[in-house]
Amino acid sequence: MSKVTIAGDVNGTGVFTIAAPNGNTNRTLTLPDEAGTLVTTASLPNPLTSGTAVASTSGTAIDFTGIPSWVKRVTILLNTVSTTGGAALLIQIGPSGGIETTGYDSIAGTVTNTNNTTRGAGSSIGYLLSGSAAGAAGVPSGVITLVNISSNIWVESGTMADSTAVGPGVTTTGGTKALAGTLTQVRVTTTNGTDTFDAGSINIMYE
């Protein structure tokens, strides 16, 4: 018959207690037939963390700061985001020194349902989220993912959809950016930096 041994550490002074829950049913915990270390929720690395959704109803930029240094993937979620002007939406990132506004290699293409029209555009000031200006009536929604490929290089991809009468269509986007340091913040703004948000919400998740 196999045996179970609980061994203390000769150098430690702490007392570890195995506590039973307040239950009325007999339970059996079966140990795996292998060596290893007990994993707890506190010891799991890089958990998926959701930020706090921000109403994109004012201001020229929505910032998410305090992103931990261990993060390797950031997901930006946009829900019917609208601005007062016609400039395309843009995502910019930065280290602790501030948001970086140059050095992006980004392109976006939009296909509309108006005679299958295709529009494309590129940007070096941020990750572009539209193939062209959608107008103030546009309310795109979508998911954009940033992934750390190596060092401080972040690649981006995503899809946006807009069902408004201004030009219903779908946008795909992709790009890359080498930061000067570890990523700590993400900004959602517009290509001209002056249009004001007036509807929708934005959030991020990171892991």
Side-chain angles (χ1 to χ4, degrees):
M1 178 175 63
S2 299
K3 299 179 181 179
V4 176
T5 300
I6 299 177
D9 190 296
V10 296
N11 297 313
T13 59
V15 177
F16 289 79
T17 302
I18 299 176
N22 182 12
N24 298 311
T25 303
N26 294 336
R27 305 290 187 187
T28 299
L29 301 179
T30 302
L31 299 175
D33 187 11
E34 58 184 334
T37 301
L38 180 66
V39 176
T40 67
T41 54
S43 64
L44 287 172
N46 305 349
L48 178 62
T49 304
S50 178
T52 301
V54 176
S56 49
T57 55
S58 64
T60 58
I62 306 295
D63 289 351
F64 295 88
T65 60
I67 298 173
S69 60
W70 49 259
V71 167
K72 297 300 182 184
R73 177 160 57 184
V74 180
T75 303
I76 300 99
L77 313 168
L78 298 98
N79 175 47
T80 58
V81 175
S82 172
T83 68
T84 56
L89 292 175
L90 195 73
I91 290 176
Q92 296 172 325
I93 58 177
S96 59
I99 292 292
E100 297 187 2
T101 59
T102 61
Y104 296 82
D105 184 3
S106 172
I107 191 167
T110 300
V111 179
T112 73
N113 69 351
T114 307
N115 299 320
N116 295 319
T117 302
T118 301
R119 308 181 303 233
S123 176
S124 62
I125 64 172
Y127 300 118
L128 194 61
L129 302 188
S130 176
S132 69
V139 287
S141 301
V143 177
I144 310 299
T145 303
L146 310 178
V147 180
N148 179 236
I149 188 170
S150 66
S151 185
N152 292 313
I153 300 174
W154 290 82
V155 295
E156 172 262 349
S157 67
T159 304
M160 304 283 292
D162 191 340
S163 62
T164 61
V166 72
V170 174
T171 297
T172 56
T173 173
T176 185
K177 162 67 176 168
L179 282 179
T182 302
L183 182 144
T184 64
Q185 52 190 312
V186 171
R187 169 175 292 172
V188 182
T189 184
T190 58
T191 51
N192 64 14
T194 58
D195 289 353
T196 302
F197 289 98
D198 62 1
S201 59
I202 304 173
N203 201 357
I204 66 169
M205 294 190 300
Y206 53 80
E207 55 189 310

